[in-house]
Amino acid sequence: MEQVLSGEGKRVCVTGASGYIASWIVKLLLERGYIVNATVRRLDDPAKTEHLLALDGAENRLHLFEADLLKEGSFDPAIHGCHAVEHTDTPVTNDTVINETWFSTPESCKGKKGESYIISKILAEDAAWKFAKEHAIDMVSINPAAVIGPLLQPTINVTTMYFVYNLIKGSETYPNGTCGWVHVNDVAEAHIRAFEIPSANGRYILSETVAHFSDIVKVLHELYPSLKLPNRCEDDNPPKPIYMLSKDKAKSLGIEYVPLKTALWETVECLKEKFMINV
Ligand SMILES: NC(=O)c1ccc[n+]([C@@H]2O[C@H](COP(=O)([O-])OP(=O)(O)OC[C@H]3O[C@@H](n4cnc5c(N)ncnc54)[C@H](OP(=O)(O)O)[C@@H]3O)[C@@H](O)[C@H]2O)c1
């Protein structure tokens, strides 16, 4: 693998920095010595900023900016002078690293809950690629599977709620769904390596494993035998089939995936601590 550049003195912008994945990107960037320009929607909301300001290195190298995707030009001050931009929400201009979704294949989502969300993400990524090409922007897109692992932010994000919290909080059924699963630290690491490694290019799918929700329930049962977990599927349809996601391209970023079982354990332990869940 090519030599990884040091972050010392380099400035990187992270948009939507208070979010689940972005908070981890900020954490890892600060650990590597980068200066971080982090955007949040509301600077006056401590729930969006305090966990970032508490990170190691934040005191000297974290700069918070207010920016909203719906306000044209609001990202300009945060992006100015940056070596790279880690954009973790809907694609906008001037971005070099785009994060997109890979919950499932579009085909398997047709007519299902979340279809419009998934299609909007695909269209957004297409638009970002088109814009990057037209403006000669060096863009890489990171497409994580279902992201799990500890939360840095104080509030629970939608996907952690759906993928893990609902299962351990007394839901009677589990979804009839199959998706790839990946640890949030691996996702953040890939976002950084995508600009640190000069040859990184194109799209990277990140998934440690692909599993149906019934498999997730089984792993949770092994980890927490006394936990009341859903014991039936939400519908009587055949279980959604397992599909394959190639790991080859992500390997070129040097990602050593955290195993699913460890990722689930860390997620539940974090939920116990932060949201006082009795497990
Ligand atoms: N988590 C997953 O399993 C997963 C998997 C694949 C792809 N993704 C994608 O990865 C990205 C980040 O996911 P996440 O789980 O980290 O989500 P998240 O925790 O909900 O974070 C999203 C962030 O975007 C910000 N945001 C929303 N609307 C905005 C706007 N109009 N202007 C500026 N900022 C805005 C939010 O700010 P506020 O806090 O102020 O609302 C929040 O900080 C999303 O694009 C998601 O679709 C996530």
Side-chain angles (χ1 to χ4, degrees), residues 167 174 212-222 229-230:
L167 296 177
Y174 52 80
H212 191 274
F213 274 91
S214 58
D215 301 320
I216 301 301
V217 169
K218 273 185 209 142
V219 177
L220 285 169
H221 182 67
E222 280 167 30
L229 290 161

Side-chain angles (χ1 to χ4, degrees), residues 14-27 52 86 88 184:
V14 181
T15 70
S18 54
Y20 176 44
I21 296 171
S23 296
W24 272 85
I25 298 174
V26 174
K27 176 181 182 318
L52 299 174
E86 298 279 10
T88 66
V184 65

Side-chain angles (χ1 to χ4, degrees), residues 181-192:
W181 301 81
V182 63
H183 193 286
V184 65
N185 184 76
D186 294 337
V187 177
E189 188 66 45
H191 275 78
I192 297 170

